[in-house]
Each structure stands twice: as C-alpha cells, then as structure tokens.
C-alpha cells in the first residue's frame, strides 16, 4: 500500500554492526593510501613549475633560422 518499502523493514543491531564493520574495513584500506599519496600530491605543483621553467628555457635557447627575402621590385614577394 505504501510506495516505499522502507517502513516495513526494521533496523536491527546486527545490520547496523555489519554496516559499520564494512565501513571501517574500507577506511582501513584507504587511510594508508591517503598517507602515501599526499606527499606526491603536495610536491606535484613544484614539479610542474620546474618542468614549465625548463621547457621555457629550452624554447628561448633554441635558434630558429631565418631566411631573408631579396627585394625585387618587378616580382611578387613570398614569405616563407
């Protein structure tokens, strides 16, 4: 008669304890992962900055050969 069947089910102590147990098992697996990955995440910003600086230096140090076009007044000029 009711659209939701939640009202028929009752919470029992074993169901609550089982849910808490599953939650704690997951938390016990995630906490070490969190502790191991946090230093990497904190240092990621400085690593990205160093990579960006080194790539900018590489671009600035590279020489791009330029071609000079000879001016001829009777022919069109094409720039390469």
């Amino acid at each position: 008669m009711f659209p939701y069947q939640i009202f028929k089910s009752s919470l029992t102590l074993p169901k609550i304890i089982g849910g808490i147990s599953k939650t704690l098992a997951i938390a016990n697996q995630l906490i070490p992962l969190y502790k191991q990955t946090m230093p990497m995440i904190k240092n990621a910003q400085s690593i990205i900055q160093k990579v960006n600086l080194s790539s900018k230096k590489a671009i600035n140090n590279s020489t791009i050969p330029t071609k000079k076009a000879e001016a001829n007044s009777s022919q069109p000029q094409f720039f390469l």
Side-chain angles (χ1 to χ4, degrees), residues 17-32:
I17 292 173
I20 291 172
S21 174
K22 288 179 184 178
T23 303
L24 289 176
I26 292 171
N28 283 335
Q29 292 174 359
L30 290 179
I31 289 172

Side-chain angles (χ1 to χ4, degrees), residues 1-79:
M1 200 166 160
F2 293 109
Y4 300 105
Q5 296 297 326
I6 259 176
F7 298 113
K8 287 187 176 183
S9 68
S10 62
L11 292 176
T12 60
L13 189 60
K15 287 182 182 179
I16 294 172
I17 292 173
I20 291 172
S21 174
K22 288 179 184 178
T23 303
L24 289 176
I26 292 171
N28 283 335
Q29 292 174 359
L30 290 179
I31 289 172
L33 283 174
Y34 175 79
K35 287 183 179 180
Q36 289 175 357
T37 56
M38 279 312 293
M40 289 190 297
I41 293 170
K42 287 180 181 177
N43 292 332
Q45 184 178 5
S46 64
I47 291 170
I48 291 172
Q49 288 174 352
K50 289 179 183 179
V51 169
N52 286 338
L53 286 176
S54 66
S55 66
K56 286 180 184 177
K57 287 181 183 177
I59 290 172
N60 290 339
N61 291 339
S62 67
T63 57
I64 300 173
T66 57
K67 294 182 181 179
K68 293 184 179 180
E70 295 180 11
N72 231 351
S73 61
S74 64
Q75 296 178 355
Q77 267 187 332
F78 295 101
F79 298 101

